Amino acid sequence: MKEQDKKRLTERTLLDIIALSADAMAIYTGEEIIIEFANDAMLALWGKGREVIGLPLYEAVPALQGRPFKKMMQQVLKTGISDAGIAVIDTPKNGIVQTRYSEYEYRAIKDAAGNAYAILHRAANVTERELRNIRLLASEAEIQALNEELTTSNEELSTSNDELAQINKELQTSNVDIRRLNRELKEYTANLRQMYDSLVESEGRFRDLVQQAPVASFIVTGEQMMIETANHLMLTMLGKDKSILGKPIVEALPELKGQPFEGLLNQVYRTGETFYGNELSAHLEHDGQLVSGYYKFIYKPLKNPDGSSHSIICIALDITEQVSARKAAEQAEERLQLAVDATELGIWTVDWKTGKLTLSERSRLIHGLRSGDAITLSESFEMIDPKYRDYVRDHINLAVTEKRSFRVEHLLHPREGSSSRWLRSTGKATYDDAGEPILMTGTILDITEEKHNDQRKNDFISMVSHELKTPLTSMHGYLQVLQRNATRNADDSSKSLAGKAIRQVDRMMKLINSFLNVSRLENNQIHIERKCFDMAELIRESEEESMVQVSNHQFVFAAAERMMVKADRDKIGQVINNLISNAVKYSPQGSTIHIACRIQDGHAMVSVRDEGKGLAEADLSKIFERYYRVNNAESQTIAGFGIGLYLCFEIIKRHDGRIWAESSPGSGSTFYFTLPIDPEATS
């Protein structure tokens, strides 16, 4: 996890704790003391709702205007020195002024350089405590006044009885000593009372802290581990109520017998050393049923002045969900690893900023790397055959730019000098909140044997196609002779049969030529003869051919302006005719096919739209693959081998263009391709 993420997590945790605190707490920033955060207790103290978040304090709470709080907090921001004290607040209510006392603390929150950038404000209503102290002081004043009146009376009695002074001199001396002792006893009693009140107040605060803590907490005392206090969160976690207070922990929680917690408490009490527990499993009884969970907790001893322990405070967190989620993720990762190992997939990850490439063991083996060898993405490109290097790099960069995955096949020359391998590489990037790429993760698969099999298959197809082409050419010629003879002899039946046979031979010749083109593509033997021509003129020729050859569909060719491209005119015409032929095959008779050509972003863009049944999302990403056919009942009745769109894709790719399809079931399909405009020829 990055330091920034850790910081956000820490700040989020702090805000969560503040939000759950029973004390009124808020966070301010800036000279105007802007309210950045306030928990429910603070909002209740102000009598406001969450609409005040983001407002200056005096604007949000007008009743505070005229009071020095703003200047006090500005001073804390300026000096970085926290401020604390007790404020007396007079509030009019129903025509009566009510006085309350608020204990406040303005704590400076500083950055790494030690500069204060925010204030944490904690407020607690201590009116009852202060009124109690005021009443105590008043009682002491009354006692003092009575003592003074008694002294005055004694002095008057002494004056009135001067005649008895000599007689009672010794007695008077004794009374003076007694009064002195009484005063000393009174002072001692007052000191004891003050010490007792302070101790009671301190213990009360500590108990309040335990009760109001935003995490589960309890205190056990003595060697018997008596549960002295426990907050609501702890009682809920234990599945108990307040009846366990005052009981030894072994009696209150008998299900802990045989579990390590009693022994850990005794160890902390005996040694005085804090114990930190992390992900310990515990079985607790809830409503008569044992419930298992995982907990993170602290046992901290509370010590006497001599260093011995008198109590232990326990703070615990239920982390069952986090541990269960982590274990589920670990199991899923193990299953994924088993699946990856079974398929012999290699895994790779690249840090997009540093270029550091991390490879799995299988990926290292494929690249010919030892376990300790470091490698970057740029260095891995050097292993790719030069003929495919830019091709792979461009696909990766395009996938990052368009935030999609990529899939390429290329030849690799491993570092150790072993035989070259054909690889199928896939990957997809992940991005930060700003949309910038962080990592790219993907897989590689050794398809060398698959490529060899494809080559054998292509060689076989090429050989068979060549062997079939010669007799079919001869057959085509013989059939044409038969057709002419039948025409000359007015034999309509023979003429019709010969015409049907010629069409079937033409179809077979077209299929054989497609197989031969596939074979040439696979062997990089297809020849692209680039010449400048007007794409609009080629579209018009396709329109004329379609109108003559197809009679059971309607065609709408949009008017196209002159646009010059530098490409192989015949092969681009083959692409257009193939797309129109597919639209005819896969749309109902009588439907309309729309063909358009226009200039967009410096490219000539051709589109062919039909009114067929459309394609599913899963098919759109595969229809340009070799031999791929849509698997549905309708496509099974239409002849084809899944070669046409593959040839279109390869031809357009070799022209630095792009071809794609847009469709959805029941809405027809639109096929597009683009070619770069030749700006010089167009102008």
Side-chain angles (χ1 to χ4, degrees):
M1 182 181 291
K2 291 186 176 180
E3 290 300 320
Q4 186 177 2
D5 295 334
K6 291 181 179 178
K7 182 177 179 182
R8 284 200 296 267
L9 179 60
T10 303
E11 293 174 352
R12 186 68 262 166
T13 304
L14 176 60
L15 290 178
D16 290 343
I17 292 175
I18 292 174
L20 294 172
S21 173
D23 284 350
M25 302 185 79
I27 295 177
Y28 313 105
T29 59
E31 280 292 314
E32 292 303 316
I33 313 301
I34 304 300
I35 303 171
E36 298 292 347
F37 177 84
N39 66 2
D40 293 339
M42 181 63 79
L43 293 173
L45 185 62
W46 291 338
K48 302 292 180 181
R50 295 207 167 271
E51 69 274 4
V52 303
I53 302 301
L55 298 178
L57 178 61
Y58 280 11
E59 180 181 339
V61 190
L64 298 181
Q65 293 182 8
R67 299 182 182 274
F69 304 133
K70 180 176 179 180
K71 289 184 178 180
M72 294 165 67
M73 286 189 273
Q74 288 174 338
Q75 184 68 14
V76 172
L77 279 174
K78 180 179 178 181
T79 64
I81 300 174
S82 300
D83 189 9
I86 296 175
V88 180
I89 302 173
D90 294 328
T91 305
K93 187 174 182 182
N94 299 326
I96 301 174
V97 177
Q98 295 184 349
T99 300
R100 64 181 178 86
Y101 297 84
S102 177
E103 185 179 66
Y104 68 88
E105 178 183 10
Y106 300 141
R107 180 175 296 275
I109 302 176
K110 303 178 181 180
D111 57 23
N115 299 316
Y117 67 90
I119 295 175
L120 174 62
H121 175 200
R122 181 186 64 80
N125 190 342
V126 295
T127 302
E128 183 177 350
R129 186 192 70 191
E130 293 300 314
L131 292 177
R132 184 172 65 247
N133 290 340
I134 291 172
R135 288 194 295 271
L136 180 61
L137 291 174
S139 299
E140 291 177 351
E142 290 176 0
I143 294 173
Q144 180 66 31
L146 290 174
N147 285 335
E148 289 174 356
E149 290 177 3
L150 180 61
T151 301
T152 301
S153 299
N154 287 336
E155 289 175 353
E156 290 175 353
L157 181 63
S158 176
T159 301
S160 302
N161 296 293
D162 285 338
E163 65 276 10
L164 298 176
Q166 189 63 33
I167 300 171
N168 297 315
K169 186 177 181 179
E170 293 182 0
L171 180 61
Q172 187 177 16
T173 301
S174 298
N175 288 334
V176 170
D177 291 339
I178 291 173
R179 285 196 299 271
R180 179 177 55 80
L181 289 174
N182 284 335
R183 285 195 300 270
E184 292 177 353
L185 180 61
K186 181 180 178 182
E187 290 175 359
Y188 180 69
T189 302
N191 289 336
L192 285 179
R193 177 65 179 271
Q194 185 176 1
M195 292 174 62
Y196 175 78
D197 289 344
S198 297
L199 180 60
V200 169
E201 182 179 352
S202 176
E203 290 182 353
R205 285 184 178 180
F206 186 68
R207 291 177 185 274
D208 289 342
L209 177 63
V210 171
Q211 290 295 329
Q212 298 169 11
V215 292
S217 309
F218 74 83
I219 297 175
V220 294
T221 59
E223 294 183 356
Q224 297 298 318
M225 299 297 163
M226 305 287 288
I227 301 177
E228 181 180 346
T229 185
N231 66 6
H232 175 72
L233 292 175
M234 178 58 78
L235 293 174
T236 301
M237 181 183 293
L238 297 175
K240 302 294 186 291
D241 55 29
K242 291 184 178 181
S243 62
I244 66 171
L245 301 182
K247 295 181 180 180
I249 194 167
V250 293
E251 179 183 340
L253 303 168
E255 65 267 27
L256 293 184
K257 185 176 182 180
Q259 301 186 54
F261 305 101
E262 183 185 359
L264 291 173
L265 285 169
N266 287 326
Q267 174 186 321
V268 171
Y269 190 87
R270 187 178 65 257
T271 64
E273 296 179 357
T274 301
F275 179 82
Y276 298 87
N278 188 31
E279 290 191 14
L280 264 69
S281 174
H283 308 288
L284 299 171
E285 184 177 314
H286 284 243
D287 298 326
Q289 299 290 329
L290 279 181
V291 178
S292 298
Y294 292 92
Y295 301 88
K296 186 175 184 178
F297 60 90
I298 300 173
Y299 289 162
K300 183 175 180 59
L302 305 178
K303 299 181 180 181
N304 295 308
D306 61 2
S308 62
S309 302
H310 62 80
S311 302
I312 297 173
I313 182 171
C314 170
I315 300 173
L317 290 173
D318 186 343
I319 57 173
T320 304
E321 289 187 5
Q322 296 92 315
V323 174
S324 299
R326 193 196 72 236
K327 290 188 174 184
E330 290 172 351
Q331 292 173 357
E333 186 175 350
E334 289 178 2
R335 290 194 295 270
L336 176 61
Q337 188 60 47
L338 288 173
V340 168
D341 292 343
T343 57
E344 297 187 340
L345 278 174
I347 308 296
W348 58 270
T349 301
V350 61
D351 186 316
W352 197 250
K353 292 184 178 179
T354 65
K356 181 181 178 182
L357 188 61
T358 304
L359 301 175
S360 67
E361 192 61 35
R362 177 61 181 166
S363 296
R364 287 184 170 276
L365 181 63
I366 291 173
H367 284 79
L369 298 172
R370 292 169 298 188
S371 60
D373 292 344
I375 188 172
T376 64
L377 182 62
S378 298
E379 291 171 342
S380 71
F381 283 147
E382 296 302 317
M383 298 185 189
I384 299 175
D385 189 272
K387 186 163 47 176
Y388 297 94
R389 193 172 296 155
D390 290 339
Y391 167 72
V392 175
R393 185 185 287 111
D394 291 345
H395 272 70
I396 291 176
N397 290 334
L398 185 63
V400 171
T401 302
E402 297 184 354
K403 296 185 178 180
R404 59 177 177 82
S405 60
F406 75 89
R407 183 175 183 267
V408 294
E409 294 180 0
H410 59 88
L411 190 62
L412 182 85
H413 305 296
R415 179 177 286 182
E416 65 178 10
S418 59
S419 301
S420 299
R421 304 171 186 264
W422 277 97
L423 302 182
R424 180 178 294 127
S425 300
T426 65
K428 189 174 184 181
T430 56
Y431 304 82
D432 60 18
D433 294 339
E436 295 298 322
I438 305 172
L439 299 174
M440 176 170 274
T441 304
T443 65
I444 54 175
L445 180 65
D446 188 339
I447 59 171
T448 305
E449 188 60 31
E450 180 182 331
K451 281 289 185 180
H452 289 163
N453 290 335
D454 285 345
Q455 185 60 48
R456 297 185 191 102
K457 180 172 59 178
N458 290 334
D459 291 343
F460 174 75
I461 291 173
S462 179
M463 179 191 68
V464 171
S465 298
H466 278 292
E467 292 297 324
L468 289 174
K469 193 171 185 180
T470 300
L472 282 173
T473 302
S474 300
M475 185 183 298
H476 191 272
Y478 297 148
L479 289 170
Q480 285 179 327
V481 172
L482 288 173
Q483 189 180 42
R484 284 196 296 270
N485 289 337
T487 302
R488 188 167 48 249
N489 297 327
D491 186 350
D492 293 338
S493 177
S494 297
K495 178 183 176 181
S496 176
L497 290 173
K500 292 179 180 179
I502 288 173
R503 285 194 295 273
Q504 292 301 317
V505 170
D506 286 341
R507 181 172 172 272
M508 184 63 70
M509 289 291 290
K510 185 178 179 181
L511 182 60
I512 288 173
N513 286 331
S514 295
F515 279 123
L516 286 173
N517 285 332
V518 170
S519 179
R520 293 189 188 106
L521 282 171
E522 295 297 325
N523 293 299
N524 290 319
Q525 294 176 351
I526 191 168
H527 178 62
I528 303 294
E529 186 176 355
R530 295 176 184 262
K531 291 183 180 179
C532 286
F533 66 90
D534 185 1
M535 179 66 77
E537 182 180 340
L538 181 60
I539 292 294
R540 284 191 290 272
E541 291 177 8
S542 298
E543 179 180 5
E544 293 172 0
E545 293 177 8
S546 300
M547 294 298 185
V548 172
Q549 296 175 2
V550 181
S551 60
N552 51 8
H553 284 73
Q554 301 295 320
F555 289 95
V556 176
F557 283 81
E561 61 180 300
R562 182 174 181 270
M563 58 191 82
M564 301 301 291
V565 297
K566 193 171 185 179
D568 189 317
R569 196 176 193 278
D570 290 339
K571 290 185 171 57
I572 298 303
Q574 180 183 346
V575 170
I576 295 172
N577 291 335
N578 191 289
L579 294 179
I580 293 175
S581 176
N582 274 2
V584 170
K585 285 196 298 184
Y586 290 99
S587 61
Q589 293 187 8
S591 62
T592 302
I593 297 172
H594 298 263
I595 298 93
C597 181
R598 67 178 185 273
I599 297 176
Q600 181 171 306
D601 299 329
H603 288 73
M605 185 174 77
V606 177
S607 63
V608 178
R609 176 165 59 89
D610 62 50
E611 297 176 351
K613 291 191 174 181
L615 296 167
E617 184 70 26
D619 294 318
L620 282 175
S621 61
K622 300 178 181 179
I623 54 175
F624 295 104
E625 294 180 5
R626 185 182 52 180
Y627 305 132
Y628 182 79
R629 299 199 68 203
V630 176
N631 186 18
N632 58 37
E634 182 183 4
S635 64
Q636 300 303 318
T637 63
I638 300 175
F641 289 90
I643 296 175
L645 288 178
Y646 170 68
L647 288 173
C648 292
F649 177 83
E650 292 296 332
I651 289 171
I652 296 301
K653 183 176 73 174
R654 282 163 170 75
H655 281 83
D656 301 320
R658 179 174 171 239
I659 185 168
W660 73 99
E662 295 178 356
S663 181
S664 60
S667 301
S669 303
T670 304
F671 285 79
Y672 302 87
F673 73 85
T674 60
L675 293 174
I677 291 289
D678 188 336
E680 296 181 0
T682 302
S683 62

